[in-house]
Structures are given as C-alpha cells and as structure tokens.
Amino acid sequence: MIEWTDDGIVLSVRPHGETAAIIHVLTPERGRHAGLVQGGQGRKARAIYQPGNRLVVTWSGRLADNLGSFKCELETSHAARLLDQPRRLTALTAAAAICERALPEREAHPACFHGFLALLDALEGDHWAEIYVRWELGLLADLGFGLDLSACAAGGDNDQLAYVSPRTGRAVSLAAGEPYRDRLLPLPPFLIGRGAGGPEEVAQGLQLSSYFLERSVFHLQDRPLPPARERLAALFPLPGQDDDPT
C-alpha cells in the first residue's frame, strides 16, 4: 500500500454508489487529487466535504495511479462561514470549480494552493471581489498564461494604461489604444494601483480574466467556463447590461 498525508482544499464532491463519494481536493504537494470517501454521502459528511473547506487528507492506494481512498479531518469550514453571504459564497464556489477544471490532475501547483488559501481568508474582508479577480489572474500566471500589465505594448505612456490586448495579454495606453478601443479589453485601474475598485472595475476585471481563461485554458479542453463562474459574473454586470442578476 502507498500512503501519504497532506493539507487539502475541497474542490468538489460527487456521489459514488449508495453511500460513498468521490472528492477532489487541491493539495500543495500533489496538486489536484481525487479519492474515494466511504460514507461520504452521510449527513455529517456532507458538512465536511463542502467546496472551499480545508482538510487534512490521508490518501492510500495499492498503486500510485489508483483512485485510492481518502480519510479526512476537517480543519477549517470556510463554506459555513459564508452561508449568510451568498455573493461571497458564489465566489468561493466559482474558485473551486475553476481549480477543478483548469488544473491538471496530480501535478503540484503550490502557488495555486496558497493563493486559494489567501482568497478564502479574503472572502471575509471588504475587498473580496477585487482580490478574487487578482486570484484568477494569478492562476493564469501559474499555468503559464500570465498577463503583462506593467507597460504599454505599443510604446505609449505607461502612466495612462487603459486597455489590454486580447491577442498578446499586454497593457495598452489610452492614446495608443484609442483607434482600436472596440477591439481591446478595458484594464480596470485597481489592477495597476490607480483605482479604488468597486463593482464596475470588478466587472471589467472578471471580463478580462474570463476572456483569457476561456482562450488559454478552457478552449483547449473544448469546455466552457464553469456555471458557477458564470453566476459570479452575473453578480457584477458591465455598464449597459441588466444589473439584476436574477
């Protein structure tokens, strides 16, 4: 038998048979990893295996490439803390779904794990939505698809960065981008330290990160963005869109 123990963040749980469940967790050393949990559909178990909850997981299997089994201890119930804050809970669910679909199985991405932990803490703070956008851009960077928002790709004024090129992922200044503004993505000022954030900038940030997630990650899998991520975007409509998410 092979056995290891690690920290884990629950990404998803699915029924298996009558009483068991298969859970996916994100770990710092072994990346996204699945395992079978006996009794995982029980009433008490359902409270433990909520997306975003932090566990100590022990995996065991006869061979390294087997599904194997998990034994888990709950360390922090992040989901329960957000039950009365549906917008933040939607962000947590979206982050877990993005990780499950975007990260390769059993490939270590410690920066993603620690970034997710930081996001979970931030979801209880005032600027959780802005931090969520930064988290998605960090995930893209860790997967090799980072954006360059440090200077104008066209040689324009770096003090007036206003757009992002959808082709290169590089920032473009206001003057240099003006003739092509309909083909560029808005750069929310808070991402370059020049804005206060807020719903409109968050909406722009979600549009920006979703474009590159779709193009660089999910298009390669022939899959759309997870529904949970679409629900989060609906909470922050762009100007001109219906501002009622229902």
Side-chain angles (χ1 to χ4, degrees), residues 105-156:
E105 190 171 13
R106 302 191 180 193
E107 182 179 296
H109 282 272
C112 288
F113 175 83
H114 293 293
F116 202 160
L117 285 183
L119 174 65
L120 291 171
D121 289 336
L123 286 173
E124 299 184 50
D126 292 335
H127 301 288
W128 63 272
E130 291 86 351
I131 293 172
Y132 179 91
V133 172
R134 292 183 183 276
W135 175 81
E136 284 196 343
L137 296 179
L139 178 73
L140 278 165
D142 195 61
L143 291 173
F145 306 111
L147 308 187
D148 182 357
L149 307 180
S150 61
C152 177

Side-chain angles (χ1 to χ4, degrees), residues 188-232:
F190 80 88
L191 287 178
I192 52 174
R194 296 175 186 163
E200 182 173 341
E201 290 188 28
V202 170
Q204 293 174 340
L206 291 172
Q207 178 193 41
L208 180 66
S209 58
S210 67
Y211 176 85
F212 287 99
L213 281 168
E214 288 182 305
R215 189 194 76 174
S216 301
V217 179
F218 295 112
H219 177 72
L220 301 178
Q221 303 175 4
D222 195 25
R223 303 173 74 178
L225 282 173
R229 176 56 170 77
E230 299 285 7
R231 290 193 294 272
L232 177 63

